Amino acid sequence: MRQQLVQLLYGVSISSDLDSGNVELAERLILNAVLDGLEIGRAGIWLLNKENTAIECRLLLDRENGKEIQMLVLPRDAYPDYFKALDTQRTITAVDAHTDPATYEFSESYLTPLNIGAMLDAPIRYKGKMIGIFCCEHIGSERHWTEDECSFIGALADLYGRALSAQENERINAELERANQHLEERVVERTRTLEKTLSELTEMQEKLIEAEKMASLGNLVAGIAHEVNTPIGIAVTANSSAKDKLSEVDKLIQSNTLTKAALIESINHLNECFKISFTNLERAAKLISDFKQTAVDQSSLDLLETNIKDYLENILHSLMPLTRSHNVTVNVNCVDDFELITVPGALSQIIMNLVNNSCVHGFVGRQDNQINISVNIDEAQGVYLLCYKDNGHGMDTETLHKVFEPFFTTKRGSGGSGLGMSIVYNLATQALQGEVSAASSPSNGMTVNFKLPIKLA
């Protein structure tokens, strides 16, 4: 290939216009190289339409008349032999365009008026398919097109394909950028919506948990009130009996008929009344004290040094109305002097929820109900293992799998909120910074194991 043509090709190939994505700039660059390299007056880019029924002028530069032409259309049915030649997807080298079998159809309407004597048409291929041609038009007489010139036009056609690829990439990148921007906007909007929903759900969950705690306390208050009424009633009865006995003694004194035997009998009766009254009032005071401590602990999550056995017994004593109404025997197996630093309020809520869960779900319709709570110390790991076990109905694998899920309950519609065991899990893993697991099977009761630190930081 002539040096001039090589230089022109090189200049086009390194031009930024070719890869700018602006195909109009690339078209002008390439057509000007065609005009300069072949030293002709007219050159154009023609593209087949989608239906392949016509060829449309994309851009034609006419240096002879100083014009730029666009939007010319040559229909297939008007120039069948020319399109037949195009369909072979080969370069058309018309030395005499008026007589060449591929171009003679243009002689009268196109070639003669414009004084075009020879034509060189090279196919433009894009993604393996011919999409149009480079049309080189020599003004004047015949012209023999050299092999170098044909190769030059073919190389420029390939470079035009590169420009089309750059335009396609630019379009795709612009679409991707718009899509990404839209996606980012949607992500921001969705994130904002999710944050709002999460905030609302968190607030609702806090309210439901608080309501569950208050309901638990409400049940405890009702049980305590019933339980306290019994010893107070007995004390009142004993005091009434003592009052009556004192009235009888007073009458005997007034009538000077009080005997030693009657006095001794009256004193013994009064002592028995006072003993009964004192014992039952002490029992009521203990119940109220335990209830007060449990209620205070439920509302507090402060770190305190606690004797675990004494604390567990206090909690269970406050729950006596609940366990007694379900015929439950509770056993605590723990060393006497085990002190730990923990959040007793969280531990109180855990035990209360577990006992309530056993009574409401595990012991329905059963007798000889038992709850066993054991505490084992692992000083090497700095933890204690608390095991809660009942001998209730137990549960199947599917229910056990969901036991710690919020709002899961088998008593839906019967007062169950499904938050009890979820609260147990959250308190054990968060407030007490430990681990919790559950095991059960039908008719074999429920076991809940806790691994908790001896000293919370």
Side-chain angles (χ1 to χ4, degrees), residues 209-442:
I209 290 174
E210 192 64 28
E212 182 78 7
K213 289 167 60 178
M214 296 307 295
S216 177
L217 281 175
N219 292 335
L220 185 58
V221 168
I224 287 291
H226 176 75
E227 191 72 14
V228 169
N229 278 338
T230 300
I232 289 179
I234 294 173
V236 169
T237 302
N239 286 340
S240 297
S241 179
K243 182 180 178 182
D244 292 340
K245 181 57 70 175
L246 284 173
S247 296
E248 291 178 11
V249 171
D250 183 59
K251 289 177 181 179
L252 291 174
I253 292 174
Q254 293 298 329
S255 63
N256 292 319
T257 59
L258 179 64
T259 64
K260 182 179 179 180
L263 178 61
I264 292 173
E265 189 273 333
S266 297
I267 291 173
N268 289 337
H269 181 83
L270 290 172
N271 282 334
E272 185 65 25
C273 287
F274 291 147
K275 181 180 178 181
I276 292 172
S277 178
F278 179 78
T279 300
N280 281 276
L281 289 174
E282 191 177 49
R283 178 186 169 196
K286 174 65 173 172
L287 281 170
I288 292 171
S289 176
D290 289 343
F291 167 70
K292 180 181 177 182
Q293 183 61 45
T294 301
V296 169
D297 286 344
Q298 271 205 304
S299 62
S300 172
L301 294 178
D302 294 333
L303 278 174
L304 294 173
E305 186 173 358
T306 306
N307 182 296
I308 185 65
K309 184 176 183 180
D310 291 344
Y311 191 70
L312 287 174
E313 288 178 345
N314 287 340
I315 297 170
L316 294 169
H317 193 265
S318 70
L319 292 171
M320 190 179 296
L322 177 64
T323 56
R324 181 176 294 167
S325 66
H326 288 82
N327 300 313
V328 181
T329 301
V330 183
N331 301 305
V332 177
N333 180 17
C334 179
V335 296
D336 293 333
D337 57 351
F338 179 35
E339 300 282 339
L340 55 89
I341 297 176
T342 188
V343 181
L347 192 60
S348 170
Q349 291 180 46
I350 286 174
I351 297 301
M352 290 183 67
N353 276 304
L354 290 175
V355 172
N356 184 70
N357 205 55
S358 294
C359 292
V360 172
H361 298 278
F363 296 145
V364 177
R366 297 176 65 97
Q367 299 296 324
D368 190 25
N369 300 315
Q370 293 185 13
I371 293 175
N372 294 298
I373 301 175
S374 62
V375 179
N376 295 300
I377 307 167
D378 187 347
E379 293 186 356
Q381 295 189 44
V383 299
Y384 66 98
L385 307 175
L386 189 152
C387 177
Y388 175 96
K389 186 173 183 178
D390 69 33
N391 65 340
H393 292 292
M395 59 186 70
D396 57 31
T397 303
E398 183 179 356
T399 304
L400 179 65
H401 182 68
K402 299 178 180 179
V403 71
F404 292 122
E405 291 184 8
F407 310 111
F408 173 74
T409 178
T410 58
K411 293 282 188 177
R412 186 75 64 196
S414 302
S417 68
L419 285 172
M421 293 302 290
S422 175
I423 291 174
V424 168
Y425 181 86
N426 289 332
L427 289 172
T429 58
Q430 297 177 24
L432 298 182
Q433 301 175 22
E435 301 173 8
V436 59
S437 61
S440 183
S441 60

Side-chain angles (χ1 to χ4, degrees), residues 160-178:
Y160 183 66
R162 187 173 125 191
L164 292 176
S165 295
Q167 182 188 45
E168 180 71 7
N169 290 337
E170 189 73 16
R171 183 187 64 79
I172 292 173
N173 289 336
E175 289 180 357
L176 285 174
E177 186 175 349
R178 286 193 298 271

Side-chain angles (χ1 to χ4, degrees), residues 148-167:
D148 283 352
E149 290 170 338
C150 292
S151 298
F152 174 67
I153 294 299
L156 286 176
D158 292 339
L159 289 178
Y160 183 66
R162 187 173 125 191
L164 292 176
S165 295
Q167 182 188 45

